[in-house]
Amino acid sequence: MPNHTPECYLLTGGAGYIGSHSTLALMQAGHQVLVLDNLCNSSPISLDRLGQLAGRAPLFVQGDVRDAALLEQVFASHRISAVLHFAGLKAVGESVQQPLAYFDNNVAGTISLCKAMAQAGVFKLVFSSSATVYGEPETMPIHESTPTGRPTNPYGRSKLMAEEVLRDLAASDPRWRVAVLRYFNPVGAHESGLIGEDPHGIPNNLLPYIAQVAGGKLAELAVFGNDYPTPDGTGVRDYIHVQDLAQGHLKALQALQTRTGLNVWNLGTGQGYSVLEMLRAFEAASGRQIPYRIAPRRPGDIARCWADASKAKIELGWQCKLGLAEMMRDAWRWQVQSPNGYA
Ligand code: NAD
Ligand code: WQD
């Protein structure tokens, strides 16, 4: 029977941090979005907020990408033109404690999704990868031609494995069109302060940690090492506003109209900032002083990491528009408006 429902994009993990901002960007560009999320690291309130922001909520199915029967049903009952696969686990420390959970979710979950897509005849996929797949390259900036290295933890290895699954899949059948997006360090929130990053417990990542110190929830920031070979000795990263990242997904989807096979794009700004530079910038945006102490290096951390973002600029016509001040302003607004996240 022909399916007369409107065409839509399926976003796995669309209730999460990056997925919710991308859902909004797609809806605001006039697309229909179907979110599939098991809510293991997100709240359905994010979907209500998307309804507030976009004037209509996305379609939502609560479920797991490893549930083959559910996926079959989802693809049979919607006209899905492409899939954006955000769903996965992302806590580096937890991945060391629970490697099987990470390989199962991030690798087996990707395989399960691709099987269902192939069965349904849907071959366009945008995959959330990470700069962590490069390991610790000797030279900066990191270009897509920089060889992938040895990620320092099971999370990173699960992302690299999933990429390799996708590479072999795309090589096996010319119908596949895959965009592998290697995100650098996503930060910030939607400018409304209605959606943002909602880490459970004590945050692992720098920006949510700084925001909670500024907001008075945590006492001080531990700066993990000031003896790295960087200008001020603290780690340098390429922080990218989540709103710019969301726009990158729209551009990748457009590119898949014409590009076949598997394509890799770095999504970063091309600019690195140190931990202390981030701290000072957050102080400026929030007007709060942020106490900190120098602590030992965190195991597995690298000294420096920033993107050569020229391939995405040339091939996708995408580049970041928002700078450090906007990242900090929006992270702070989200912290002030939702000090307990969606709780
Ligand atoms: P997030 O945890 O906020 O979002 C992931 C979403 O996927 C959550 O809503 C979670 O409930 C859902 N989910 C997890 N496993 C699922 C499953 N098996 N089935 C259905 N839903 C499931 O994380 P995020 O920061 O938005 O990251 C999104 C993607 O981007 C992840 O794949 C992550 O590895 C990748 N990534 C994130 C970062 C970062 O720093 N945030 C950097 C690089 C790459
Ligand atoms: C940034 C800098 C820390 C916390 C991780 C994952 C990576 C990707 C993004 C998903 C580093 C320092 C941090 C703190 C600190 N995720 N820091 N005190 O480590 O670059 O990347 O998130 O793909 O895979 O590894 O990000 O925000 O944790 O750290 O001094 O309390 O801040 O040492 O230099 P990282 P981060």
Side-chain angles (χ1 to χ4, degrees):
M1 227 177 36
N3 188 333
H4 294 297
T5 56
E7 269 206 347
C8 65
Y9 292 124
L10 173 64
L11 271 69
T12 73
Y17 173 44
I18 302 167
S20 59
H21 290 80
S22 302
T23 296
L24 182 63
L26 284 165
M27 289 200 299
Q28 288 181 332
H31 302 289
Q32 292 282 343
V33 174
L34 168 62
V35 168
L36 172 72
D37 199 303
N38 66 6
L39 302 180
C40 72
N41 196 40
S42 52
S43 162
I45 298 171
S46 71
L47 302 170
D48 299 338
R49 301 272 174 91
L50 290 176
Q52 248 174 285
L53 288 165
R56 65 198 153 99
L59 300 171
F60 175 54
V61 174
Q62 183 170 352
D64 198 295
V65 290
R66 292 162 294 182
D67 182 341
L70 175 69
L71 288 187
E72 193 184 334
Q73 194 195 325
V74 164
F75 280 101
S77 47
H78 297 89
R79 269 204 309 142
I80 294 168
S81 51
V83 180
L84 294 90
H85 181 35
F86 298 94
L89 301 178
K90 63 162 182 177
V92 169
E94 185 183 66
S95 79
V96 177
Q97 305 302 322
Q98 300 172 33
L100 291 181
Y102 275 70
F103 293 121
D104 190 40
N105 203 329
N106 296 358
V107 185
T110 302
I111 294 171
S112 159
L113 177 67
C114 290
K115 278 186 184 168
M117 289 176 66
Q119 230 167 29
V122 178
F123 291 99
K124 290 197 190 101
L125 175 66
V126 178
F127 176 66
S128 298
S129 190
S130 168
T132 195
V133 300
Y134 293 112
E136 184 159 25
E138 274 167 22
T139 55
M140 290 292 143
I142 301 174
H143 188 264
E144 291 82 348
S145 60
T146 303
T148 52
R150 177 118 185 102
T152 52
N153 54 72
Y155 164 73
R157 286 190 277 280
S158 76
K159 285 286 160 184
L160 189 51
M161 282 184 202
E163 279 200 13
E164 287 178 350
V165 167
L166 296 176
R167 190 175 301 280
D168 285 340
L169 187 61
S172 74
D173 183 336
R175 288 174 297 176
W176 281 100
R177 296 175 177 212
V178 180
V180 167
L181 303 182
R182 293 181 179 153
Y183 310 155
F184 280 65
N185 286 57
V187 296
H190 187 263
E191 62 181 13
S192 64
L194 286 175
I195 55 171
E197 188 170 9
D198 182 13
H200 293 167
I202 296 177
N204 301 306
N205 294 115
L206 180 66
L207 240 279
Y209 202 105
I210 289 184
Q212 293 195 12
V213 175
K217 282 185 81 179
L218 295 169
E220 63 176 9
L221 173 74
V223 175
F224 296 142
N226 66 349
D227 56 352
Y228 284 108
T230 60
D232 67 17
T234 66
V236 171
R237 298 290 184 274
D238 183 339
Y239 296 92
I240 170 172
H241 198 299
V242 66
Q243 287 284 92
D244 278 330
L245 195 59
Q247 291 301 321
H249 292 76
L250 265 71
K251 295 289 190 181
L253 278 169
Q254 277 169 19
L256 292 189
Q257 300 301 333
T258 51
R259 283 179 179 271
T260 56
L262 180 137
N263 290 269
V264 177
W265 288 291
N266 284 344
L267 296 186
T269 65
Q271 167 82 50
Y273 290 104
S274 75
V275 176
L276 292 178
E277 284 174 316
M278 295 298 280
L279 183 124
R280 300 291 173 226
F282 204 93
E283 287 184 332
S286 64
R288 302 274 175 100
Q289 209 201 332
I290 299 167
Y292 73 93
R293 72 185 158 85
I294 304 298
R297 291 182 180 192
R298 183 172 62 178
D301 270 358
I302 59 175
R304 318 174 296 154
C305 174
W306 66 90
D308 176 335
S310 59
K311 186 168 184 274
K313 184 175 178 190
I314 295 163
E315 295 181 356
L316 301 179
W318 170 89
Q319 70 186 108
C320 292
K321 297 194 171 125
L322 302 170
L324 200 55
E326 287 95 357
M327 298 180 208
M328 301 307 184
R329 177 198 68 194
D330 295 335
W332 179 233
R333 186 181 292 119
W334 164 247
Q335 176 67 33
V336 170
Q337 286 184 206
S338 302
N340 300 312
Y342 294 112

